[in-house]
């Protein structure tokens, strides 16, 4: 089995994005699954092509996109991607969509193919907080999540795909009063547990 | 230099207390300061005697009590201890004081002798969130903090003393929706940085 | 124009539900729109029939369901209803679905027909906090929201429908440490402003 | 009986301060107590003189200072004033003290003379959230609270004094994501209940 795991690069005023940092530190294989890692740009109009190219090259069984969810205290696998782009801030290319449909011919939303509850349980079992989330927002995270589902429907039906949000790193909350965080080591440990749950649910 | 660092044992419904767990993992020495570690009971009427006995035995230069502050996202050195016991829940001996003066002849409050801002800065420098706190509550944490100050005033004038609260561990917030936590490794790292700041401020 | 506004009755351990209390206090008409009010049961298997019957009787132009969102500080018009029932607690009939599809033949999600941004702006203009929400959860609130959209698609295409969550009342947070609330008068004022925005957007 | 109730004027970037707005709307008398109202400047070096002058003029039995506590969801009578000024932002005169003792000859802290638990209970009985707070911070609120206690000790021993923090108004949190607020009417109602409890506890 092969799992492509992507992480966004830093955006907004943050010098670091825990998503790509955690992805870099994932093991090369989990159970018998090979983990392929990919950094992707925090850009609405560029991130999809980068992932798509890697999917064509690697032919993975799963595509899991990882992103930062500032303000959340837990690792949160996402349930649903919606057909809407709406940014509070511009992306790394300066593009800031307002209330735009992602795919004119696409459905309102897609549910993930990932085993959400098994992933949450697995993260709990390694002693870390996790919750199923019912919204991936309307920024680049939801965008890549939706587009991967759309690509799955139209081009890569053999792939299962999903999105996991992780909290800020402790260093990112130093000047954010009482904002929650999770260490990089714990995000890596939690993501590894979630990926293991995916490999086990696949059997 | 010698620093006595205490950590409370578990209380309430928690099977673990990050305070004593973090204390156990502190290095044996920081700069040239020897770190003496002591587990103390979460009991209003017992914790003071346990610390006092160790102070007499060890003759430390500093006494730092560490406790858990559930709900806080940062490591918080405490500024002030107040002359009041008031428990929301009973302590480990089943004792639950309501609005009781700790020392009839004692002052309303004591300020710590610790270099709070230097400690906060040092924790920030290792990439972890920290804030000076203006309240240690009215439970056993404030009690030991106040009593150590009282003992300092009356019996051990050569000692400097203070209190540091640390957040829940990640495993403690699994069933607490969006509650913040800090890993044990990070609490240890943050406390170590704070203790180093104390040794440096002492010169 | 006619707007049917529904409010859920109390559920869980709460003796009161701000949703139905606020609905009761709405004006009888806003601009030229007649406001029809309806209390509905917090029951997955009963609430839809109650609303449907009233829709058939009243032939409204809009159906707006109001529900309580404990923990939120703002009035939150909902963007999207998803095809999933999943309850953390049983409903008022003791029914607690786990991860169940609402309509086997239904789409993954529906977007509301309500003018969300205009509603949020209108609530702000009367001095109250409001945010567009991207999740109505997976409990009875999302259920009625989804089912109204499904009914709209299949039986009442002339209707526009949506959902608005309102915060706890102040009396409900007395024993919930630092939980946000909104007064009944303010929820009524905010909902009235949102309904006015709907009537204006309709022209 | 006569109760002097003060409210601070707006500070920071806020165009309004709920403290003085609520004070203005208090009844003229509660039980048989006459309520004297006073607006005071959010300035470390000016607010005390303004209150002192009014105390000399009015000869009140109680002095209650009211201030805004952004981020709190409940009305919070304060337990203790500490001998320290430390501002995160400058006051309205541009003065920003850092870690300064308020009264060189003053004690570390004073406890209020107000019946805190009775006040909290009374606020609860009118259906509003309230908590005893153990910190009034280190800004102008704590400053006036401490200085009134100091004046009481040295010049006006017949007076009982204290401080009550109230939350942001709803209009103040429109652009603060999920920040709690309390309506002006509810703050007035809660403060009135607290003042009534004071008049009753005095008998």
């Amino acid at each position: 089995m092969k799992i492509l795991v992507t992480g966004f690069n830093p955006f907004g005023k943050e010098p670091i994005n825990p998503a790509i940092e955690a992805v870099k530190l994932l093991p090369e294989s989990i159970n018998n699954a090979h983990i392929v890692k990919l950094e992707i740009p925090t850009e609405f109009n560029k991130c999809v092509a980068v992932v798509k190219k890697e999917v064509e090259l690697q032919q993975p069984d799963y595509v899991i996109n990882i992103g930062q969810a500032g303000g959340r205290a837990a690792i949160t696998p996402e349930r649903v991607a919606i057909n809407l782009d709406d940014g509070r801030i511009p992306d790394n290319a300066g593009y800031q969509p307002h209330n735009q449909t992602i795919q004119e011919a696409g459905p309102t939303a897609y549910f993930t193919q990932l085993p959400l509850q098994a992933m949450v349980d697995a993260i709990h079992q390694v002693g870390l907080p996790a919750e199923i989330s019912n919204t991936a927002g309307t920024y680049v995270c939801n965008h890549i999540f939706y587009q991967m589902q759309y690509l799955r429907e139209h081009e890569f039906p053999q792939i299962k795909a999903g999105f996991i949000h992780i909290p800020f790193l402790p260093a990112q909350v130093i000047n954010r009063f009482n904002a929650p965080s999770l260490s990089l080591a714990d995000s890596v440990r939690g993501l590894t547990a979630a990926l293991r749950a995916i490999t086990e649910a696949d059997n």
Side-chain angles (χ1 to χ4, degrees), chain A:
Chain A
M1 190 193 308
K2 192 183 278 188
I3 305 178
L4 173 60
V5 187
T6 78
F8 282 108
N9 67 3
F11 67 97
K13 294 171 183 168
E14 298 298 317
I16 196 171
N17 190 326
I20 183 55
E21 299 307 320
V23 168
K24 284 179 194 167
L25 293 174
L26 289 173
E28 299 302 315
S29 70
I30 295 175
N31 281 339
N32 288 321
H34 180 50
I35 308 299
V36 178
K37 307 167 185 181
L38 179 68
E39 178 165 342
I40 62 177
T42 301
E43 299 183 28
F44 283 97
N45 295 321
K46 204 162 153 189
C47 59
V48 182
V50 174
V51 183
K52 185 180 176 186
K53 188 177 158 195
E54 191 77 1
V55 168
E56 288 166 343
L57 184 71
Q58 296 282 351
Q59 303 283 332
D61 302 283
Y62 285 85
V63 178
I64 320 283
N65 305 116
I66 313 295
Q68 162 190 300
R72 293 192 189 168
I75 297 173
T76 48
E78 296 290 346
R79 191 192 302 276
V80 60
I82 65 174
N83 192 0
L84 190 91
D85 284 342
D86 192 60
R88 288 194 179 212
I89 56 172
D91 70 9
N92 285 352
Y95 174 63
Q96 184 176 8
H98 290 295
N99 235 17
Q100 298 195 352
T101 299
I102 298 175
Q103 290 286 352
E104 284 302 331
T108 299
Y110 290 103
F111 283 131
T112 186
Q113 290 76 44
L114 302 185
L116 297 174
Q117 192 59 52
M119 293 161 72
V120 164
D121 291 346
I123 299 170
H124 288 175
Q125 274 161 25
V126 298
L128 296 172
E131 300 267 346
I132 296 174
S133 166
N134 294 308
T135 175
T138 57
Y139 197 54
V140 186
C141 289
N142 174 73
H143 182 85
I144 191 73
F145 182 15
Y146 184 90
Q147 293 282 53
M148 282 303 106
Q149 292 292 329
Y150 187 84
L151 279 173
R152 176 187 181 270
E153 188 176 36
H154 294 276
E155 299 191 42
F156 309 114
Q158 73 287 3
I159 285 178
K160 294 178 177 171
F163 196 98
I164 307 175
H165 268 119
I166 60 176
F168 278 138
L169 296 175
Q172 293 178 286
V173 299
I174 285 176
N175 292 312
R176 292 182 160 102
F177 182 68
N178 217 39
S181 66
L182 200 64
S183 74
L184 184 57
D186 281 344
S187 277
V188 171
R189 219 153 49 84
L191 290 175
T192 303
L195 292 172
R196 180 171 295 115
I198 290 169
T199 65
E200 289 168 357
D202 200 72
N203 295 328

